Amino acid sequence: MLAVVLWVVGVGAVLLVHVIEPDKEVPFGWLVWYFPALALGMTIYSAQLTRQLRRHGAAILKLDPSPGSIGGHVGGRVLMQKRLPADARVTCTLSCNDHWRLSRPRRSRYGANLVWQEWGEALFRVTGQGTVVAFHFEVSAGLPASGAPTRERDAHGEHRWELELQLDGRGMLNHFTLPVQERVAHARKIPRDLSGHTAQRTREAL
């Protein structure tokens, strides 16, 4: 999907130049570098995802509540195929990021601004099928929901809520984009706020 978007952006930039200045020669030369660079970037990205899948196995996310709540809770469980060591430390980071795209005739700019972030040590339990990782955050009211328009001036884009799990502070276990809406809802099965402190592992929370 990302490759398609970037391809459309590249072609659209060229056509926009032609529409705005029809008598000006369209700069096709830079396309010789743009699309091979795009293909290389997507190849590297795909290789990283494949390596992560082979190393940690597939993962399933189950939110509690679903969707996550602004002014309430964002929490849930990640069911992983990989069995983690009993003494492992899993850090969970929840972020709200403002992703934006600023289009110009000759050049487009992309970026992401951090709006809100909290982190804590996730709870986990090893089972016969893999590992269950639990996370739970209390989210302040007034934050933008998933898909809310970017606040960057003259830009296009949206806000995204993203969850990242890291193992022992070194490598990334999983990364998810979460649906988070403006509604007050609370977790039913994970009543512990993991933000800003190290939580104790408890079987009751899992």
Side-chain angles (χ1 to χ4, degrees):
M1 182 62 182
L2 179 60
V4 175
V5 172
L6 294 177
W7 188 90
V8 171
V9 169
V11 174
V14 173
L15 296 177
L16 185 60
V17 171
H18 182 67
V19 171
I20 295 176
E21 302 181 65
D23 297 330
K24 186 174 182 179
E25 182 179 355
V26 178
F28 288 105
W30 68 274
L31 291 177
V32 176
W33 301 102
Y34 177 81
F35 289 107
L38 173 61
L40 178 62
M42 295 307 300
T43 300
I44 295 175
Y45 179 71
S46 299
Q48 291 176 340
L49 290 181
T50 301
R51 183 170 63 250
Q52 177 180 327
L53 181 62
R54 290 178 177 176
R55 183 178 180 182
H56 303 301
I60 299 175
L61 172 66
K62 295 185 176 181
L63 290 176
D64 176 21
S66 181
S69 167
I70 295 173
H73 296 162
V74 173
R77 296 176 177 80
V78 178
L79 313 179
M80 301 173 51
Q81 289 182 342
K82 179 181 178 65
R83 301 184 66 184
L84 299 179
D87 60 348
R89 182 169 180 260
V90 179
T91 302
C92 178
T93 302
L94 178 66
S95 306
C96 176
N97 297 298
D98 184 0
H99 292 262
W100 53 270
R101 180 184 74 257
L102 188 60
S103 300
R104 290 289 184 265
R106 294 180 179 273
R107 181 185 178 186
S108 295
R109 294 175 54 201
Y110 303 86
N113 302 329
L114 178 63
V115 178
W116 182 92
Q117 184 179 79
E118 291 286 356
W119 66 274
E121 185 174 346
L123 311 174
F124 75 88
R125 177 167 58 91
V126 180
T127 69
Q129 291 73 38
T131 304
V132 181
V133 180
F135 64 95
H136 179 202
F137 293 93
E138 293 185 0
V139 179
S140 305
L143 292 169
S146 298
T150 178
R151 296 176 180 175
E152 191 73 13
R153 185 176 180 181
D154 299 328
H156 301 278
E158 64 180 14
H159 288 80
R160 300 175 192 169
W161 285 82
E162 298 170 272
L163 176 73
E164 183 175 301
L165 302 181
Q166 284 196 334
L167 177 62
D168 296 328
R170 297 193 300 268
M172 184 174 69
L173 279 172
N174 291 102
H175 181 275
F176 302 93
T177 299
L178 311 180
V180 180
Q181 302 298 327
E182 296 182 20
R183 68 189 190 107
V184 178
H186 302 283
R188 297 181 178 180
K189 299 181 180 180
I190 312 177
R192 183 186 295 274
D193 179 22
L194 302 183
S195 60
H197 67 85
T198 301
Q200 298 295 320
R201 297 190 186 115
T202 60
R203 295 182 63 88
E204 290 77 15
L206 298 176

